[in-house]
Amino acid sequence: MNQQTHDHSFRPLGPVMLDVVGTSLNDDDIRRIQHPLTGGVILFARNYTNREQLTQLCQAIHDARPGVLIAVDHEGGRVQRFRTDGFTHLPAMKKLGLRWDEDVLESCKLATAVGYVLATELRACGVDLSFTPVLDLDYGDSEVIGDRAFHRDPRVVTMLAKNLNHGLALAGMANCGKHFPGHGFVAADSHVAIPVDDRPYADVIKEDAAPYGWLGMSLSAVMPAHVIYPTFDKHPAGFSKKWLTLLRDKMQFEGVIFSDDLSMEGASVAGSVVEGAHAALAAGCDMVLICNSPDKADQLLEGLDTQRILDAKRSAARLSALLPTAHADDWATLQQNETYKAAKKLVKTIT
């Protein structure tokens, strides 16, 4: 069965993205997915056994909530949730940066091929969006970012990300740049700590945040960092009205802003998961993520005050723009697609 495009006539997407427990839906999963505030589902490696199972899971999610956005962290390298049963092994983005240092135009061509293969394979199974590309700079100190970053030079990051985004777009997939304004300098991992970047504001803007402005219309969505930049604001970027207003106004970003996972340690400064969601939405996020914690997801769905969501209608419109608009081949048809076969051959040359 071919994967069909979304029907945009379905009810607006809510501001919460949550996950599911296992490889198929249980009654609680379905209840959460069908909640009016739910607009997205994020998948993890635990939700994957093989392609057939993944395709059935995505279909079940879409059956439970037609039009819901299904997303995954599927960047390449060590952050690739689905790795077996035919999925192409995608390189860490640093390998594209190293290729840039050897041959600029070849690296751009390869980045487009990576984006295309990444997106066509996910879409063949029913996944709508990957949270990629990483726009953080490679300072060599951040363990959590590391080889997920393209390069140290923000200009190189911008060009490689733009080409990767083009590959995604050719397959009908949007993109999400992360982690604004930049997570590459701090050594701490915001999953388990609250990182603080003490550099002058001017340095962060000139270097780390630069790709977000330069990418312009080719950037569909942004995920802010759970990092505090005290020279600009006391709040982590994802809870900072100052940072997100700068992204909207100074950088003229019109797309979706996702919070990073509210269950991470870096989000704990905002209080409970409900308080964190209210803070993120008030700061300017369009959708908040709650992962790996079904009880907190329930608390969020029951406790979120929709009256405190500043512009839910505008956020819903932005979110609906992330849904795929182009037709997607199923897996068997994809394997016969000459463009896909050529792109996959290119990806396999990246070592």
Side-chain angles (χ1 to χ4, degrees), residues 150-211:
F150 288 106
H151 206 274
R152 168 62 182 84
D153 188 331
R155 297 168 299 178
V156 178
V157 169
T158 301
M159 292 308 298
L160 287 175
K162 191 175 183 70
N163 281 278
L164 184 108
N165 287 352
H166 183 53
L168 298 174
L170 288 171
M173 183 177 282
N175 61 72
C176 181
K178 61 187 187 185
H179 306 85
F180 177 79
H183 201 314
F185 189 80
V186 290
D189 179 352
S190 56
H191 290 84
V192 295
I194 303 172
V196 177
D197 188 335
D198 285 314
R199 288 177 298 160
Y201 160 75
D203 291 355
V204 178
I205 287 294
K206 182 181 178 182
E207 298 242 36
D208 300 66

Side-chain angles (χ1 to χ4, degrees), residues 59-293:
Q59 188 60 55
I61 291 169
H62 281 141
D63 286 346
R65 180 71 185 277
V68 77
L69 181 72
I70 301 180
V72 65
D73 284 315
H74 199 83
E75 306 164 5
R78 58 195 161 96
V79 183
Q80 180 175 342
R81 304 302 188 208
F82 316 136
R83 298 171 173 269
T84 59
D85 198 18
F87 272 97
T88 302
H89 181 266
L90 302 169
M93 294 301 99
K94 185 171 184 175
K95 291 189 175 181
L96 291 170
L98 292 171
R99 190 64 66 93
W100 172 286
D101 293 336
E102 299 170 1
D103 187 329
V104 169
L105 294 179
E106 180 70 10
S107 69
C108 290
K109 177 181 173 182
L110 293 171
T112 301
V114 169
Y116 185 76
V117 170
L118 184 164
T120 52
E121 291 182 352
L122 288 178
R123 290 207 58 211
C125 298
V127 179
D128 302 316
L129 176 72
S130 175
F131 287 117
T132 189
V134 170
L135 300 180
D136 302 317
L137 306 187
D138 181 13
Y139 288 94
D141 296 321
S142 174
E143 290 183 13
V144 70
I145 302 302
D147 64 1
R148 296 165 66 191
F150 288 106
H151 206 274
R152 168 62 182 84
D153 188 331
R155 297 168 299 178
V156 178
V157 169
T158 301
M159 292 308 298
L160 287 175
K162 191 175 183 70
N163 281 278
L164 184 108
N165 287 352
H166 183 53
L168 298 174
L170 288 171
M173 183 177 282
N175 61 72
C176 181
K178 61 187 187 185
H179 306 85
F180 177 79
H183 201 314
F185 189 80
V186 290
D189 179 352
S190 56
H191 290 84
V192 295
I194 303 172
V196 177
D197 188 335
D198 285 314
R199 288 177 298 160
Y201 160 75
D203 291 355
V204 178
I205 287 294
K206 182 181 178 182
E207 298 242 36
D208 300 66
Y212 293 89
W214 287 335
L215 281 166
M217 292 171 65
S218 69
L219 199 58
S220 313
V222 165
M223 180 178 286
H226 283 331
V227 176
I228 298 172
Y229 308 84
T231 59
F232 184 64
D233 194 16
K234 64 181 180 181
H235 302 293
F239 303 104
S240 168
K241 192 170 184 64
K242 285 182 72 175
W243 273 118
L244 300 190
T245 299
L246 180 147
L247 178 64
R248 289 281 189 221
D249 293 352
K250 187 173 181 181
M251 297 185 172
Q252 299 179 320
F253 176 67
E254 295 293 332
V256 171
I257 302 178
F258 289 98
S259 82
D260 208 340
D261 178 12
L262 294 176
S263 70
M264 289 164 57
E265 182 61 29
S268 64
V269 294
S272 71
V273 66
V274 176
E275 290 168 335
H278 282 140
L281 293 166
C285 287
D286 297 294
M287 178 172 270
V288 294
L289 273 68
I290 179 68
C291 309
N292 307 311
S293 188

Side-chain angles (χ1 to χ4, degrees), residues 25-40:
L25 299 183
N26 62 34
D27 289 344
D28 284 330
D29 290 325
I30 293 171
R31 173 178 55 79
R32 293 185 193 103
I33 292 167
Q34 292 180 339
H35 194 285
L37 292 180
T38 299

